Amino acid sequence: MHTFQTYPSDLFEVNPFVKIGKEWMLVTAGTPEKANALTASWGGLGVLWGKNVAFIFIRDSRYTKEFIDQNDTFSMNFFEEKYKNDLKYFGAVSGRQEDKFKTSGLTLNNHDGIPFVDEGSLILLCKKMAAVPITKETFSDISIDEKWYANADLNNYHTMYIGEVTEILAR
């Protein structure tokens, strides 16, 4: 297990377009005994309801969604470039079929009961505040539905989870 330190939110500087959209993250949820993670490249950071928040989008079909729905917390885990193949693996394989942590060699850890991935370099620990289903009816631009929710993903919509960032861990 690696050593993390709490990082003060008022000193936190990150480009979310790069960190989330290009470098990706593992979203981890569950309990210290049983958790799952998935690769995500959609989300954001900001302020809502007077809190520092993160928001993530998880498709209805994803196994990790069950863990987020059943628990009050989740983590956003960011990695150095050398872990990119692990992130690809976590995005391609379902935890329903195999234990992704055992197969990948990444280590599940927890902080105050919130699961996270020990090899990460930056971890956002989040307390779930809201779960907002995205449906076809919510789009002002119908081309979004045509592009992102057709063919293999027909009706496989996302839920947007908004979480208060309760702690930031960094190396």
Side-chain angles (χ1 to χ4, degrees):
M1 301 290 174
H2 298 94
T3 304
F4 286 91
Q5 295 183 346
T6 299
Y7 195 89
S9 62
D10 58 340
L11 298 177
F12 186 65
E13 290 185 16
V14 66
N15 181 335
F17 304 111
V18 172
K19 193 58 81 185
I20 296 169
K22 293 195 179 0
E23 295 178 6
W24 311 338
M25 63 182 154
L26 289 182
V27 173
T28 307
T31 65
E33 296 77 34
K34 184 170 173 67
N36 198 57
L38 61 74
T39 302
S41 62
W42 290 8
L45 304 168
V47 177
L48 182 64
W49 303 313
K51 308 272 187 186
N52 293 336
V53 299
F55 51 96
I56 57 172
F57 298 84
I58 309 295
R59 283 196 190 269
D60 292 342
S61 64
R62 298 302 295 265
Y63 184 50
T64 302
K65 184 179 188 305
E66 297 174 24
F67 290 84
I68 295 173
D69 288 343
Q70 293 167 7
N71 293 279
D72 295 328
T73 59
F74 61 90
S75 65
M76 298 165 64
N77 305 258
F78 300 94
F79 298 84
E80 296 170 5
E81 179 65 29
K82 68 182 179 180
Y83 292 102
K84 194 69 163 191
N85 284 336
D86 292 303
L87 273 73
K88 288 177 184 175
Y89 166 75
F90 271 78
V93 173
S94 173
R96 283 190 189 96
Q97 275 71 53
E98 63 185 75
D99 182 338
K100 294 195 272 188
F101 288 102
K102 185 181 250 182
T103 304
S104 71
L106 294 183
T107 312
L108 190 60
N109 197 344
N110 81 88
H111 182 79
D112 293 336
I114 303 173
F116 72 92
V117 182
D118 201 59
E119 288 77 9
S121 57
L122 176 69
I123 314 295
L124 302 182
L125 302 174
C126 301
K127 181 178 181 209
K128 192 170 60 176
M129 298 172 73
V132 183
I134 306 289
T135 64
K136 184 176 186 172
E137 295 74 33
T138 62
F139 299 122
S140 300
D141 177 353
I142 199 63
S143 70
I144 294 169
D145 190 61
E146 295 163 359
K147 179 175 182 179
W148 296 102
Y149 302 100
N151 303 318
D153 285 312
L154 186 64
N155 296 320
N156 188 14
Y157 290 96
H158 287 83
T159 297
M160 176 178 63
Y161 293 93
I162 302 166
E164 176 187 1
V165 178
T166 57
E167 200 165 353
I168 301 169
L169 303 178
R171 296 207 186 274

